[in-house]
């Protein structure tokens, strides 16, 4: 897994056996033409390499960018690049670099899911799948995490409202279940 700063380095990383590219925002900040991403996304598909773009970070930095008078929107460019990766079939995971000052645990993940739906154009179900099933696959824990099935860990959250109808409902937490036991409920 690597944090990649340039499109060229992302391609080299994937060609040399890397498993996950994090922070596509760094490559998107180059403002490369979208067509320039095609070789990277093709190679990521061939090598089963995941992408965790952490869109919430550049989204939060967008106001600073505007205040500094920088032209063009990095977040719009990033969203288009992420959509292109998804359309190619790149495994799109979901992460936020939580713990940094602008990415608090919990709310930043809800924000990332919102961006996947609102800016990338994923359905709420596709966004949820990226944060559950795909993340488990990227971690090499497919079948144990990210699914509700016999043999999987019984770590769940139960929501009051259906997030497949509106992704913003991921914050409607009713209870948390850890190893099959309720550890928090409202």
């Amino acid at each position: 897994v690597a944090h990649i700063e340039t499109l060229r380095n992302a391609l080299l990383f994937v060609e040399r056996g890397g498993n996950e590219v994090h922070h596509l925002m760094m490559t998107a900040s180059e403002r490369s033409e979208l067509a320039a991403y095609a070789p990277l996304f093709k190679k990521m598909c061939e090598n089963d390499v995941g992408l965790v773009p952490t869109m919430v970070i550049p989204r939060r930095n967008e106001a600073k960018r505007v205040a500094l008078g920088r032209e063009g929107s990095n977040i719009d460019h990033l969203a288009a690049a992420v959509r292109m990766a998804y359309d190619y079939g790149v495994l799109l995971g979901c992460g936020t670099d939580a713990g940094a000052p602008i990415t608090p645990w919990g709310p930043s993940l809800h924000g990332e899911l919102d961006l996947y739906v609102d800016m990338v154009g994923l359905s709420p179900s596709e966004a949820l799948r990226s944060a559950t099933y795909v993340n488990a696959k990227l971690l090499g824990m497919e079948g144990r995490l990210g699914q509700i099935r016999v043999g999987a860990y019984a770590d769940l959250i139960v929501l009051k409202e259906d997030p497949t109808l509106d992704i913003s409902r991921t914050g409607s937490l009713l209870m948390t279940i850890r190893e099959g036991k309720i550890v928090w409920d409202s």
Side-chain angles (χ1 to χ4, degrees), residues 56-170:
V56 73
I57 296 170
R59 176 62 164 180
R60 294 211 171 126
N61 286 333
E62 194 69 8
K64 181 192 297 184
R65 191 177 160 68
V66 170
L68 292 172
R70 296 193 178 135
E71 293 183 24
S73 172
N74 271 3
I75 192 65
D76 291 337
H77 185 76
L78 173 58
V82 171
R83 182 64 208 204
M84 182 180 175
Y86 187 78
D87 289 344
Y88 264 87
V90 172
L91 291 169
L92 181 62
C94 188
T96 65
D97 233 12
I102 62 169
T103 52
W105 298 103
S108 61
L109 181 62
H110 299 295
E112 188 80 6
L113 290 168
D114 288 345
L115 291 170
Y116 282 18
V117 172
D118 296 341
M119 295 197 74
V120 178
L122 271 58
S123 71
S125 293
E126 290 170 319
L128 290 168
R129 186 174 192 276
S130 74
T132 55
Y133 175 80
V134 175
N135 276 359
K137 184 173 181 159
L138 293 175
L139 290 169
M141 297 188 76
E142 186 177 7
R144 293 180 287 163
L145 292 177
Q147 300 175 52
I148 299 173
R149 56 172 285 224
V150 174
Y153 294 113
D155 297 345
L156 305 166
I157 59 168
V158 179
L159 303 176
K160 297 173 191 171
E161 301 177 88
D162 185 352
T164 64
L165 301 176
D166 179 349
I167 197 66
S168 69
R169 293 177 177 173
T170 58

Side-chain angles (χ1 to χ4, degrees), residues 11-32:
L11 186 56
L12 287 171
F13 172 75
V14 171
E15 288 173 341
R16 293 187 178 153
N19 295 320
E20 286 178 51
V21 173
H22 283 231
H23 304 306
L24 186 64
M25 67 178 185
M26 293 181 189
T27 61
S29 65
E30 295 176 336
R31 309 276 310 166
S32 301

